[in-house]
Amino acid sequence: MSMLLGTIAGCSQSSITPVVHEWDWGPVIPQKKSAFATVATADRIIAVGGAYWHEDEAHQFTKVYLPTVYQLMSKAKSWSQLPYYPHPIGYPLVTTVGQKPVPYTHM
């Protein structure tokens, strides 16, 4: 999965110029997963937790939850891994307090 990054051009408070969004696909997140939360700070996007389906030799599927945390630095457009969340987490809600991400879980 890659993030869709946007920039705003042609915006002025002294005119009635419409805002133009220019969208660009960012880099692909290093780990294939779904069910993760994203939160934005002033200079980065953070992806917390997530899940994927693992298929065993008997073709049985098990959902695997992840403790991984990645950040996408907006200007560098590159992902880096942060320390793991304390436990695997899927479908989290994440907000920020200051510039720090704070996940809320049902665990």
Side-chain angles (χ1 to χ4, degrees), residues 4-5 18 25 27 32-33 53 61 71 78 82 90 104:
L4 189 58
L5 305 175
W25 286 106
K32 292 183 180 181
K33 58 184 177 174
W53 288 96
F61 289 91
Q71 70 178 355
S78 64
L82 297 175
Y104 295 93

Side-chain angles (χ1 to χ4, degrees), residues 32-48:
K32 292 183 180 181
K33 58 184 177 174
S34 63
F36 60 95
T38 56
V39 65
T41 66
D43 62 346
R44 61 191 173 145
I45 297 170
I46 300 170
V48 179

Side-chain angles (χ1 to χ4, degrees), residues 2 9 35 43 54 71 83-84 89 99:
S2 61
D43 62 346
H54 172 75
Q71 70 178 355
Y84 281 3
I89 184 173
Q99 293 295 308

Side-chain angles (χ1 to χ4, degrees), residues 1-104:
M1 164 172 274
S2 61
M3 296 290 179
L4 189 58
L5 305 175
T7 58
I8 299 174
C11 182
S12 170
Q13 291 189 1
S14 63
S15 68
I16 308 178
T17 305
V19 175
V20 177
H21 291 277
E22 294 181 16
W23 295 98
D24 181 30
W25 286 106
V28 174
I29 194 166
Q31 183 178 39
K32 292 183 180 181
K33 58 184 177 174
S34 63
F36 60 95
T38 56
V39 65
T41 66
D43 62 346
R44 61 191 173 145
I45 297 170
I46 300 170
V48 179
Y52 68 92
W53 288 96
H54 172 75
E55 182 179 8
D56 65 19
E57 294 173 2
H59 303 291
Q60 299 295 313
F61 289 91
T62 305
K63 188 172 257 189
V64 178
Y65 292 96
L66 302 165
T68 52
V69 180
Y70 291 94
Q71 70 178 355
L72 173 64
M73 299 307 292
S74 301
K75 291 183 182 178
K77 292 188 178 180
S78 64
W79 287 100
S80 60
Q81 190 166 0
L82 297 175
Y84 281 3
Y85 190 68
H87 56 81
I89 184 173
Y91 306 96
L93 170 64
V94 180
T95 188
T96 55
V97 174
Q99 293 295 308
K100 182 179 178 181
V102 179
Y104 295 93

